[in-house]
Amino acid sequence: MRRLDVFTLFPDAFDWFRGQRHVHNAERQGLDLRFPNYRDTTPLGAGQVDDAPYGGGAGMVLRVDVVDAALRNAYGDSLAGRRIVVLSPSGRVFDEELARELAAEPDMALLCGRYEGIDERVREHLATDAVSIGRYVISGGELAAMVVADAVIRKLPGALGDAESAVEESFSEALEGAPEYPHYTRPPDYRGWGVPDVLLSGDHERIREWRLEMSRAR
Ligand SMILES: C[S@@+](CC[C@H](N)C(=O)[O-])C[C@H]1O[C@@H](n2cnc3c(N)ncnc32)[C@H](O)[C@@H]1O
């Protein structure tokens, strides 16, 4: 992936995220990471971005013309071929397979909703995907975008200090798609809680087999 835009009303929410080492590394390796604010490009007066839902009900809905304007401002008139992901509790549940798929895209937009959500026409006509980080509701798309962006960015070449970390981790091919095996570190005994002998044996082949076995069992 060469470019990742997270469209949001709260770009400052990503200050911490952007400071993370793997994100910083990915940017140094050429990832163009941006956080466009819907409010900066809204075609409406006084920075308006939302409106009351048709049919009535609580809350405000992010307008389709506002999201469209933000996308066109970033990408011009043709959105064809771009991966545009709207974050929604009702979307496809995000997992490692989707993270891998998205990381292989040349670019991606993540659309954060707030309030009651985003006008459905964004999902129908502008987005290629709707993605959920789980079957629960959080207050805005920013945390969901961080989850998705983090999982994707750590797959980019040069993002992790030690590239091996991503090769053999939970759900990787190296572990046959299974969760990772358990890790232990010093001290070898704490309150009588020991460490599996095999890990202290120095026998790398046995350790490798034990890890694979534990991973399958999990
Ligand atoms: C308060 S939520 C809107 C919930 C919506 N009214 C509903 O009941 O499905 C506001 C925004 O947070 C984001 N969001 C909330 N939960 C999410 C989840 N589980 N996965 C992805 N995004 C989520 C979405 O962008 C959503 O538009």
Side-chain angles (χ1 to χ4, degrees):
M1 177 169 301
R2 290 189 301 272
R3 179 167 173 184
L4 170 54
D5 297 279
V6 182
F7 293 82
T8 172
L9 286 169
F10 302 99
D12 292 353
F14 294 89
D15 288 351
W16 168 84
F17 177 74
R18 198 165 203 170
Q20 296 304 292
R21 184 170 293 270
H22 63 295
V23 178
H24 184 66
N25 287 346
E27 287 194 84
R28 284 187 49 193
Q29 295 293 322
L31 175 69
D32 183 0
L33 179 61
R34 307 182 195 192
F35 300 93
N37 188 336
Y38 299 115
R39 224 178 277 285
D40 292 342
T41 51
T42 177
L44 308 173
Q48 185 189 351
V49 292
D50 56 4
D51 232 315
Y54 282 127
M60 299 292 273
V61 177
L62 200 57
R63 287 176 51 137
V64 61
D65 49 354
V66 168
V67 176
D68 194 31
L71 287 169
R72 310 264 168 204
N73 183 266
Y75 305 131
D77 273 339
S78 174
L79 302 180
R82 291 188 178 275
R83 197 79 186 247
I84 300 176
V85 175
V86 63
L87 294 155
S88 164
S90 64
R92 169 177 169 188
V93 176
F94 189 61
D95 60 9
E96 191 68 7
E97 189 189 339
L98 184 51
R100 233 177 274 145
E101 186 185 317
L102 295 175
E105 291 286 346
D107 55 65
M108 175 170 71
L110 293 173
L111 306 180
C112 301
R114 271 270 155 182
Y115 320 122
E116 204 47 38
I118 305 182
D119 188 303
E120 189 63 17
R121 287 168 289 183
V122 169
R123 193 161 164 174
E124 289 168 350
H125 302 286
L126 296 172
T128 54
D129 308 63
V131 168
S132 168
I133 57 163
R135 293 293 184 242
Y136 46 83
V137 179
I138 55 175
S139 302
E142 287 71 24
L143 288 174
M146 280 187 231
V147 168
V148 173
D150 189 298
V152 167
I153 287 173
R154 60 183 282 113
K155 304 216 169 295
L156 302 183
L160 298 185
D162 181 353
E164 286 303 306
S165 320
V167 171
E168 195 174 285
E169 64 179 1
S170 289
F171 320 119
S172 61
E173 279 175 29
L175 295 180
E176 303 163 348
E180 199 185 45
Y181 43 81
H183 293 288
Y184 298 84
T185 185
R186 292 187 185 88
D189 180 79
Y190 180 69
R191 293 174 181 262
W193 306 332
V195 171
D197 289 340
V198 60
L199 295 178
L200 307 175
S201 70
D203 183 336
H204 295 295
E205 187 50 31
R206 271 185 63 218
I207 292 172
R208 202 188 63 78
E209 281 166 14
W210 178 86
R211 285 179 163 167
L212 212 53
E213 209 175 291
M214 294 305 288
S215 173
R216 286 181 189 138
R218 279 189 159 174

